[in-house]
Amino acid sequence: DAKTTQPTSMDCAEGRAANLPCNHSTISGNEYVYWYRQIHSQGPQYIIHGLKNNETNEMASLIITEDRKSSTLILPHATLRDTAVYYCIGKTSYDKVIFGPGTSLSVIP
Amino acid sequence: GAVVSQHPSRVICKSGTSVKIECRSLDFQATTMFWYRQFPKQSLMLMATSNEGSKATYEQGVEKDKFLINHASLTLSTLTVTSAHPEDSSFYICSLPSGDNYEQYFGPGTRLTVT
């Protein structure tokens, strides 16, 4: 798995966009960037993944730099329910999911 | 997507006893399931890979004789914490991959407290 680096914590005002960065400078060509999140005392939840193109789904957008060394997860209109720990993981589709420390996002009213 | 259930959601047991945690895939069959453990304020740690019809594969440092895994069917994997001690108190979570392997579906977790 590619090593990823994320800020320990971030705050975001409710209703504003939350932009969560992730560095993955050692990611290999066949490894995807995955994002999961874990709301307190629940199991993790898949958010989105991408290889090199930007991706968008009903939950979030994923912006991957052209050199693939970093990416940003965007929650367009953060709500209080988006308060969670967000994990950025670099891996192939067949690798196990190995979690790092993640970013603790607090959405502030 | 698949729904993964775990039973029980919470369990309290006495030191020295064994506890079994079930992980069920409700929507599709899974030849592989994963077990994680999470201590308070820490990230999830992968414990083992459960393989249907064969032995589980344990991560380095995880005692296979203490954490018994049985994957007897394509929809059920069980984790038994044998001779539990207070230090085994943790949040145990199972997961399984989607059919195309791009997603992992996680269960809601089981909170184990050993007194």
Side-chain angles (χ1 to χ4, degrees), chain A residues 32 34 36 38 40-46 49 87 91-102, chain B residues 10 34 36 38 42-46 49 57 59 91 93 100-109 111:
Chain A
Y32 293 79
Y34 285 82
Y36 285 82
Q38 185 182 26
H40 183 63
S41 292
Q42 296 184 22
Q45 176 189 24
Y46 164 85
H49 75 278
Y87 299 96
K91 72 179 199 69
T92 69
S93 61
Y94 289 94
D95 286 337
K96 306 168 205 177
V97 178
I98 305 298
F99 292 91
Chain B
R10 289 178 176 271
F34 302 96
Y36 293 81
Q38 185 175 33
Q42 295 186 23
S43 187
L44 292 88
M45 185 196 81
L46 179 65
T49 302
T57 305
E59 297 297 308
F91 193 47
I93 305 165
D100 60 8
N101 277 316
Y102 283 113
E103 290 183 46
Q104 285 277 340
Y105 301 116
F106 288 84
R111 178 80 57 194

Side-chain angles (χ1 to χ4, degrees), chain A residues 46-60:
Chain A
Y46 164 85
I47 300 173
I48 200 168
H49 75 278
L51 186 62
K52 50 185 177 182
N53 296 324
N54 297 336
E55 302 287 346
T56 295
N57 62 21
E58 65 279 5
M59 289 185 68

Side-chain angles (χ1 to χ4, degrees), chain B residues 53-64:
Chain B
S54 65
K55 291 183 179 180
T57 305
Y58 292 82
E59 297 297 308
Q60 190 172 10
V62 178
E63 300 174 59
K64 62 180 181 182

